């Protein structure tokens, strides 16, 4: 059966979490999970744990939208590419990846926004991860998310 708009508006099937005062430092060796330190809405259909994991409490079809804004802290002309992805139980969800290009201090910010629709089961864990995708050599850590400018919204569309 379909979830009615009134149910979504009553927040049971809606989750919206974001980064408030914190940022997440990215690196070029492994994906880093984005930490959600603020909650706009966490409906009873979701559980937020460990700051990064969203657990699904009811099977169904979901719309997941995320936005991640990052800043390249540099005074030179080097390039950086950030890649983001949604992970379901630790594995990338197809169609969920995105990229942002960064260069110089006057063009150092970038935002990735994606929306996907997917089926999720009870106990599924959703996470937003990011990595400095380019360059791949050396140790690169001078890209971080921007406080107040990254979020994830999950809406249940129907019952599974």
């Amino acid at each position: 059966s379909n979830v009615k708009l009134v149910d979504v508006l009553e927040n049971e099937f809606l989750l919206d979490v974001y980064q408030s005062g914190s940022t997440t430092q990215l690196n070029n060796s492994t994906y880093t999970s984005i930490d959600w330190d603020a909650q706009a809405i966490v409906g009873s259909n979701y559980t937020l744990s460990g700051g990064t994991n969203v657990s699904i409490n009811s099977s169904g079809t979901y719309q997941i939208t995320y936005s991640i804004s990052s800043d390249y802290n540099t005074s030179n002309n080097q390039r950086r590419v950030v890649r983001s992805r949604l992970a379901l139980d630790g594995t990338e969800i197809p169609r969920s990846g995105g990229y942002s290009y960064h260069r110089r201090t006057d063009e150092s910010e970038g935002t990735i926004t994606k929306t996907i629709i997917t089926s999720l089961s009870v106990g599924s864990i959703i996470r937003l991860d990011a990595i400095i995708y380019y360059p791949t050599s050396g140790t690169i850590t001078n890209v971080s998310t921007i406080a107040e400018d990254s979020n994830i919204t999950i809406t249940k569309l129907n019952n599974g």
Side-chain angles (χ1 to χ4, degrees):
S1 67
N2 291 336
V3 174
K4 297 178 182 87
L5 181 58
V6 68
D7 295 330
V8 173
L9 295 176
E10 290 173 356
N11 302 331
E12 178 181 355
F13 299 110
L14 185 63
L15 172 127
D16 186 19
V17 293
Y18 60 100
Q19 285 193 311
S20 178
S22 70
T23 62
T24 300
Q25 189 73 36
L26 306 180
N27 66 72
N28 67 331
S29 60
T30 58
Y31 277 94
T32 301
S33 297
I34 305 305
D35 189 23
W36 309 115
D37 67 343
Q39 303 174 10
I41 299 167
V42 178
S44 61
N45 196 55
Y46 310 94
T47 303
L48 184 63
S49 62
T52 61
N53 296 326
V54 177
S55 298
I56 304 300
N57 299 332
S58 173
S59 295
T61 302
Y62 289 80
Q63 176 177 296
I64 305 171
T65 301
Y66 74 83
S67 181
I68 179 171
S69 295
S70 54
D71 183 37
Y72 172 35
N73 183 11
T74 184
S75 59
N76 59 36
N77 205 22
Q78 295 178 341
R79 297 166 182 87
R80 298 288 183 263
V81 175
V82 172
R83 183 175 194 278
S84 61
R85 70 176 188 187
L86 286 170
L88 169 61
D89 299 327
T91 302
E92 182 172 338
I93 299 174
R95 309 175 328 277
S96 71
Y99 298 85
S100 63
Y101 177 79
H102 305 262
R103 185 174 182 175
R104 300 194 311 257
T105 55
D106 59 341
E107 298 173 7
S108 62
E109 297 87 10
T111 299
I112 304 165
T113 301
K114 292 288 286 199
T115 298
I116 66 164
I117 295 176
T118 190
S119 295
L120 298 173
S121 302
V122 171
S124 295
I125 296 176
I126 300 294
R127 203 177 57 230
L128 177 60
D129 299 330
I131 191 169
I132 301 172
Y133 188 74
Y134 177 85
T136 56
S137 61
T139 300
I140 310 294
T141 60
N142 56 348
V143 178
S144 61
T145 59
I146 302 170
E148 304 286 339
D149 291 340
S150 298
N151 76 301
I152 187 168
T153 302
I154 305 176
T155 306
K156 185 174 184 183
L157 301 177
N158 69 24
N159 296 316

